[in-house]
Amino acid sequence: MSYPSYLEYFSSSIENVSTATFKIAPTSNNAVSSHQQIQFLLPQNSLVDFRKLRMQFQVTSAGSFTRLPAHASAFFNRISVEVGGQTISSFENANVLDEILRNNLQIEVDPVNEHSTIQRKNDPFSATAIAAAETYPTDDNKAFFSIDLGTLARSIQPSIVALMMLPQVTVTLHLAENAVCASPSNIDTLANFIAAGSQGTYSIVNANLIAECYDVADGSLMAMYQQTMQDQGYLELTYENWTSFSDVFNQVTRFSSSAQSLNKIVATFRRGSGVVPLAAAYNAANGAVAVRGYNNALIASAANVGFQADALGQPETQGAEYQSAFFTGTAPIVAASLTGGVPKVSTLEPTLNFSINSVQMPSYNCKASGWYDATKSGWGVSRTKSNSLAEFMLHRFSICQRLDLPDSKALRVMSGLNLKASNANLTLEVTGNASAATTVDNCLVFLASSNIMRVGLGKQIQILH
């Protein structure tokens, strides 16, 4: 019989542990802009904690009143990880997935160095006025921004990886297009801030990777690794692997998977034309997007609290909240069926469903607004970042279908849907009230699966998808 830890008296020790933190310079040019890349080579003879890897960098911008996107990871469309020249993780629109994860409280944002908001007049680092484009000093290797290295670094287990057992690990960050920035016509009024000006541009400078490394000098850890390799032929590392698909959503989007453990299907939609809440397509020049339900005009009079037009009265909505159009997820519903972002009286609301080899999920026709509860269940949360249904439907709309058991990832248990026997046909489609659905919006689908990397003698690796 075993007892819980709070009833047991014990201690243990690991001797001869040493730690060190290193700054790793990129292999590429110090100044890069949209569609270019930054590459790092990880140290080969150390234990590195992947969850504590951070890239620090600085951002400059050009344009009359350019505003940088909320969240520092927004600048990176793809983060590729290669081991010995073999790609083990890489997918497009990683920055959009990060936005979905934040909206559903899967990852936290640090407002100190992750640029968590878009500000109209004051920069989010010093709260001083920004007269023109939002840009930051680059002298003395200044680096105000910081990000982790994405989904693989967050999920790999064990998180402290013995890189001496692996061939060279290379991390490449691919920069996103300039449309991730907001390009308002002016900042003097809210109307001008949400109106589009000329597309602004951005550049990244002073990039460095901060790595936290460990060593156990008595050799016992390495002996254990070597013995495991001799006994079973390899070491196993598990991580969550994501793939993505992009399509113009005209009532149905098709994609495929042959994963050995498909854990989640996630989708979001972005306006393909100037339909509420955007003035133009998501990837065109747009001003800042004012999130519905907030005091975006910043009316300060106490007599007006709770009575501003289109604003809610609770404390958390009394400040301004803005988005970049590129990251605005909106339910694929025509404007004529919406009032303030919510399906209005006497109009149809489309239903959306996933299907796997013709098996519908959920098993009922699920309305777009009904996906809110299903998505919370899929992510295992009791609420999301949204403060109203309108905010969810207009600005943070995404849907999630869970296929594995809760907490499987933390326990290193592969309990997702096994599609290894065949390349399964998957769809996301409108299953009802199709006349109320849009036909030109961009649809992004993300698939999460459990991958295994086996490391054998002689630094041989094998990836099991």
Side-chain angles (χ1 to χ4, degrees):
M1 179 178 180
S2 62
Y3 291 94
S5 60
Y6 53 77
L7 289 177
E8 296 183 343
Y9 295 82
F10 66 91
S11 65
S12 59
S13 65
I14 300 177
E15 297 181 354
N16 300 310
V17 173
S18 60
T19 65
T21 302
F22 298 97
K23 178 184 284 189
I24 303 170
T27 62
S28 54
N29 190 359
N30 186 47
V32 291
S33 54
S34 64
H35 301 295
Q36 295 181 326
Q37 63 186 42
I38 303 170
Q39 187 176 87
F40 297 95
L41 302 178
L42 297 190
Q44 289 188 276
N45 193 31
S46 61
L47 298 165
V48 174
D49 191 338
F50 269 59
R51 294 186 187 178
K52 294 183 180 178
L53 286 171
R54 305 288 301 186
M55 189 181 83
Q56 297 177 344
F57 58 97
Q58 193 71 311
V59 182
T60 63
S61 70
S64 298
F65 302 99
T66 304
R67 290 297 179 266
L68 302 180
H71 314 134
S73 65
F75 298 107
F76 304 99
N77 174 64
R78 177 159 54 99
I79 300 178
S80 300
V81 180
E82 296 181 3
V83 179
Q86 181 175 345
T87 300
I88 65 169
S89 178
S90 181
F91 65 98
E92 298 289 332
N93 295 297
N95 49 359
V96 179
L97 178 62
D98 269 9
E99 178 75 7
I100 293 171
L101 295 174
R102 291 187 185 96
N103 289 341
N104 290 282
L105 307 183
Q106 298 301 296
I107 54 178
E108 292 183 301
V109 181
D110 189 336
V112 174
N113 62 1
E114 294 188 32
H115 196 271
S116 61
T117 61
I118 295 177
Q119 297 287 332
R120 176 154 66 104
K121 292 191 173 182
N122 298 330
D123 86 63
F125 292 108
S126 67
T128 56
I130 313 172
E134 182 183 1
T135 194
Y136 296 98
T138 60
D139 64 298
D140 193 34
N141 291 316
K142 290 182 174 67
F144 297 167
F145 295 74
S146 175
I147 62 166
D148 64 18
L149 291 189
T151 55
L152 180 139
R154 296 174 198 141
S155 64
I156 193 166
Q157 297 188 70
S159 60
I160 298 178
V161 180
L163 294 183
M164 68 283 290
M165 313 297 291
L166 300 174
Q168 178 65 60
V169 178
T170 305
V171 179
T172 307
L173 297 97
H174 302 260
L175 273 63
E177 58 194 278
N178 287 315
V180 300
C181 297
S183 302
S185 62
N186 209 316
I187 60 171
D188 52 352
T189 65
L190 176 62
N192 285 334
F193 191 55
I194 63 178
S198 299
Q199 179 63 59
T201 62
Y202 74 92
S203 295
I204 289 179
V205 299
N206 299 341
N208 285 286
L209 186 67
I210 306 300
E212 191 167 305
C213 302
Y214 301 85
D215 186 30
V216 181
D218 65 5
S220 59
L221 184 63
M222 293 306 301
M224 181 186 70
Y225 289 159
Q226 294 288 353
Q227 188 62 49
T228 302
M229 279 190 171
Q230 292 176 9
D231 291 345
Q232 64 182 32
Y234 50 80
L235 298 175
E236 277 193 350
L237 298 91
T238 64
Y239 62 96
E240 189 171 58
N241 188 57
W242 289 84
T243 54
S244 63
F245 302 84
S246 180
D247 191 20
V248 175
F249 188 69
N250 188 358
Q251 300 193 13
V252 62
T253 285
R254 304 182 188 279
F255 45 102
S256 61
S257 175
S258 58
Q260 63 179 337
S261 178
L262 181 61
N263 302 331
K264 289 184 184 69
I265 311 176
V266 178
T268 190
F269 301 85
R270 299 180 291 180
R271 292 300 199 193
S273 60
V275 179
V276 63
L278 304 188
Y282 74 94
N283 55 355
N286 277 277
V289 180
V291 178
R292 186 169 182 82
Y294 291 80
N295 181 15
N296 294 303
L298 293 178
I299 299 173
S301 170
N304 288 320
V305 172
F307 296 96
Q308 301 96 336
D310 301 326
L312 301 173
Q314 61 259 45
E316 57 266 31
T317 59
Q318 285 305 297
E321 181 79 11
Y322 302 108
Q323 288 180 304
S324 167
F326 195 87
F327 299 103
T328 301
T330 306
I333 303 177
V334 296
S337 290
L338 298 172
T339 298
V342 175
K344 63 185 181 182
V345 65
S346 302
T347 58
L348 299 175
E349 178 181 359
T351 59
L352 299 167
N353 290 82
F354 292 111
S355 71
I356 301 176
N357 290 336
S358 300
V359 178
Q360 181 173 292
M361 296 181 178
S363 58
Y364 58 93
N365 289 356
C366 188
K367 291 187 179 297
S369 59
W371 267 104
Y372 184 70
D373 274 335
T375 298
K376 286 195 303 178
S377 177
W379 290 115
V381 295
S382 58
R383 64 155 298 168
T384 69
K385 188 176 180 179
S386 297
N387 283 302
S388 67
L389 181 60
E391 182 177 349
F392 170 70
M393 296 287 283
L394 280 181
H395 302 278
R396 309 191 194 280
F397 186 81
S398 66
I399 60 178
C400 175
Q401 177 65 54
R402 187 184 202 105
L403 301 169
D404 63 344
L405 293 172
D407 299 322
S408 293
K409 183 169 64 174
L411 298 172
R412 306 192 203 184
V413 174
M414 299 176 65
S415 63
L417 189 62
N418 188 345
L419 302 175
K420 201 69 177 175
S422 63
N423 197 24
N425 294 315
L426 296 89
T427 64
L428 171 58
E429 57 187 307
V430 177
T431 51
N433 298 333
S435 61
T438 57
T439 58
V440 297
D441 287 353
N442 170 248
C443 175
L444 286 177
V445 178
F446 299 93
L447 303 181
S449 60
S450 296
N451 275 18
I452 296 174
M453 179 169 65
R454 288 179 174 173
V455 181
L457 295 171
K459 298 187 177 181
Q460 298 296 312
I461 68 166
Q462 178 187 19
I463 307 300
L464 303 180
H465 298 280

